[in-house]
């Protein structure tokens, strides 16, 4: 299990909760015609957001020596599984960093003027800048 959060391009997402949830369900079908690990498919705002977030929570698809160094340092729990769509960044964090990940993602969403959705909560926050 993971603690899941999502950033999104606000110009693509409906603001009313029920419509947003339908849009979200469409996004996580992962039906776009590209690999979901390529940050170049993201909007400019989401690219800036991802660049800064992945400094704090690196993509788990790192080279073996980086992984081993993080494991040795005890920071491998910061490795995050990202799925990158043209309008969304879906991030699956380790539960041990959930609170820190929530705070970081929410603050970066505000900074980069992208939306934020707390996927892991039943009535998760949906925040538009």
């Amino acid at each position: 299990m993971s603690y899941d959060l999502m950033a999104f391009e606000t110009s693509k997402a409906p603001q009313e909760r029920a419509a947003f949830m339908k849009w979200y369900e469409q996004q996580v079908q992962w039906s776009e015609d590209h690999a979901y690990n390529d940050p170049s498919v993201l909007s400019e705002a989401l690219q800036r957001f991802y660049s800064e977030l992945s400094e704090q929570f690196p993509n788990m698809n790192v080279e073996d020596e980086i992984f081993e160094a993080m494991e040795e340092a005890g920071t491998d729990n910061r490795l995050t599984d990202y799925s990158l769509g043209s309008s969304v960044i879906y991030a699956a964090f380790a539960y041990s960093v959930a609170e820190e990940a929530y705070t970081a993602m929410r603050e970066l969403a505000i900074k980069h003027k992208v939306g934020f959705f707390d996927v892991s909560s039943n009535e998760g926050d949906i925040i538009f800048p």
Side-chain angles (χ1 to χ4, degrees):
M1 297 272 307
S2 59
Y3 185 74
D4 300 349
L5 300 170
M6 186 176 84
F8 59 91
E9 184 60 53
T10 58
S11 64
K12 305 291 184 184
Q15 292 195 16
E16 191 272 320
R17 186 174 192 86
F20 178 90
M21 294 307 294
K22 286 180 184 178
W23 176 81
Y24 160 77
E25 289 297 330
Q26 291 172 338
Q27 299 307 302
V28 296
Q29 294 300 311
W30 310 116
S31 58
E32 295 176 14
D33 191 23
H34 59 78
Y36 281 87
N37 59 356
D38 180 5
S40 71
V41 304
L42 297 167
S43 69
E44 287 183 30
L46 286 174
Q47 283 182 21
R48 289 189 299 272
F49 172 92
Y50 175 73
S51 176
E52 197 165 341
L53 182 64
S54 62
E55 289 176 10
Q56 297 176 54
F57 297 95
N59 193 313
M60 71 183 328
N61 298 309
V62 294
E63 296 174 11
D64 288 343
E65 58 268 3
I66 294 172
F67 177 81
E68 289 168 7
M70 290 183 75
E71 191 174 44
E72 192 171 301
T75 59
D76 55 314
N77 65 333
R78 300 182 74 73
L79 292 171
T80 302
D81 189 13
Y82 292 100
S83 294
L84 310 174
S86 60
S87 300
V88 299
I89 297 173
Y90 193 101
F93 299 92
Y95 267 100
S96 60
V97 297
E99 188 174 318
E100 186 181 352
Y102 180 96
T103 300
M105 254 186 100
R106 186 173 172 155
E107 289 174 0
L108 288 173
I110 292 166
K111 177 181 178 181
H112 293 286
K113 297 179 175 50
V114 298
F116 170 84
F117 176 41
D118 183 355
V119 178
S120 283
S121 175
N122 288 337
E123 291 295 319
D125 294 334
I126 302 171
I127 299 171
F128 285 78

